[in-house]
Amino acid sequence: MSTGKFIFGFLVGAATGFAASAMVSDETKNELAKKGQDLKEKASDYATQASEQFSDYANQAKDKAEELKATSQDKFEDMKDKYDQSTDALKDQIKRRTNQNDNSEITDFDDIVIDGKQAFNEAKDSSKKMINDIDREIKK
């Protein structure tokens, strides 16, 4: 574009802007400024309300997640205790039935307990990973 066309366009735009501002009275300008200020205040109020509402929802979600985490940890500990009690009781029953004080006849049982404990530890690790994932999501 040539410099002359640019200057011509600039002058036409400036003249149009000047003419438009001259046509609008000071009263109209004040009314428009007041309406603009009112809209700005309303927008600010809505933004504040939305922020407060979001904060409330986020806190509720965080509380619920922490509650679920605590509940799952309690249930996990209960399951672990029941597992330990059951294996101890089963081991005692086997000892009584074999009428032996040593573990020589129940070596297969020990393998089963070890396999069971391994499976339980894998479940425990998986549960801890899930709890950690929930924690990370809460903290975001």
Side-chain angles (χ1 to χ4, degrees):
M1 177 169 24
S2 72
T3 306
K5 289 181 181 180
F6 175 78
I7 292 174
F8 178 73
F10 179 78
L11 291 175
V12 169
T16 305
F18 179 75
S21 69
M23 289 180 178
V24 177
S25 68
D26 286 339
E27 220 175 279
T28 305
K29 288 179 187 177
N30 289 337
E31 285 178 30
L32 288 174
K34 186 177 185 291
K35 285 182 181 180
Q37 185 63 30
D38 290 344
L39 288 173
K40 181 181 174 184
E41 288 173 8
K42 283 183 182 180
S44 177
D45 290 344
Y46 287 135
T48 300
Q49 287 176 347
S51 176
E52 289 172 358
Q53 191 72 31
F54 177 77
S55 180
D56 289 345
Y57 287 143
N59 287 335
Q60 289 175 3
K62 183 177 180 180
D63 292 344
K64 187 65 174 176
E66 288 174 358
E67 180 183 318
L68 290 171
K69 177 184 171 187
T71 301
S72 66
Q73 284 177 332
D74 290 344
K75 287 183 180 184
F76 177 78
E77 291 300 321
D78 289 344
M79 286 177 18
K80 184 180 181 299
D81 291 343
K82 287 178 184 178
Y83 174 81
D84 289 341
Q85 290 170 2
S86 297
T87 55
D88 289 343
L90 186 58
K91 198 170 192 176
D92 289 342
Q93 281 181 345
I94 291 173
K95 279 183 182 181
R96 278 190 303 235
R97 285 190 180 167
T98 59
N99 291 326
Q100 294 183 358
N101 291 331
D102 65 339
N103 292 335
S104 61
E105 291 292 321
I106 55 171
T107 56
D108 290 341
F109 176 75
D110 288 337
D111 290 342
I112 293 169
V113 171
I114 290 170
D115 289 343
K117 284 185 179 181
Q118 181 181 2
F120 188 76
N121 285 331
E122 288 173 5
K124 177 181 169 183
D125 292 342
S126 176
S127 296
K128 283 184 179 181
K129 182 183 180 305
M130 182 177 66
I131 289 168
N132 288 335
D133 290 345
I134 290 171
D135 276 343
R136 279 195 296 277
E137 287 299 318
I138 289 172
K139 291 177 183 176
K140 284 184 179 179

